[in-house]
Amino acid sequence: MTLTSGRFIGHDQDRGIVQFSMQDGAKEFACAISTSAMDDLERGPRARPNEREAQFTRLRERIEACAGRKYQATEFEGTPPGIVLRSIDFRG
């Protein structure tokens, strides 16, 4: 089964990540992307903390496509297992 869009959870400024979820049928998977990866994708100035949700929305299609690739490759991290995206995941 493939992943579908889940929900935006929030920006964790202390950890430098944006948390979101993806769905595999009824099962929800926790996901995160580093804020530096989002800034790298936009190739502009760093977004301010209050701009992170809008930035995620602009980049959502690319972020979720990358999360889907990591899901298919079973590249999970943490407990419970989730998907973490970094700048390196968007190269190549």
Side-chain angles (χ1 to χ4, degrees), residues 48-88:
R48 289 187 219 112
N50 65 341
E51 300 171 329
R52 291 298 181 185
E53 184 172 2
Q55 183 184 37
F56 176 82
T57 300
R58 286 192 303 274
L59 298 169
R60 188 172 199 146
E61 189 174 317
R62 292 172 70 190
I63 291 168
E64 289 180 346
C66 186
R69 288 189 297 274
K70 288 190 88 167
Y71 180 79
Q72 292 296 327
T74 63
E75 294 179 23
F76 304 116
E77 298 181 44
T79 305
I83 296 169
V84 179
L85 304 175
R86 298 173 181 85
S87 293
I88 195 166

Side-chain angles (χ1 to χ4, degrees), residues 2-84:
T2 58
L3 288 183
T4 58
S5 290
R7 60 192 174 95
F8 176 85
I9 297 169
H11 172 232
D12 185 330
Q13 186 171 347
D14 293 337
R15 294 172 57 199
I17 60 169
V18 167
Q19 296 173 294
F20 63 103
S21 69
M22 299 286 290
Q23 295 288 135
D24 182 352
K27 191 171 186 179
E28 184 177 54
F29 278 90
C31 302
I33 182 168
S34 71
T35 54
S36 61
M38 291 197 315
D39 290 338
D40 288 350
L41 283 172
E42 288 202 307
R43 294 188 176 116
R46 290 186 53 83
R48 289 187 219 112
N50 65 341
E51 300 171 329
R52 291 298 181 185
E53 184 172 2
Q55 183 184 37
F56 176 82
T57 300
R58 286 192 303 274
L59 298 169
R60 188 172 199 146
E61 189 174 317
R62 292 172 70 190
I63 291 168
E64 289 180 346
C66 186
R69 288 189 297 274
K70 288 190 88 167
Y71 180 79
Q72 292 296 327
T74 63
E75 294 179 23
F76 304 116
E77 298 181 44
T79 305
I83 296 169
V84 179

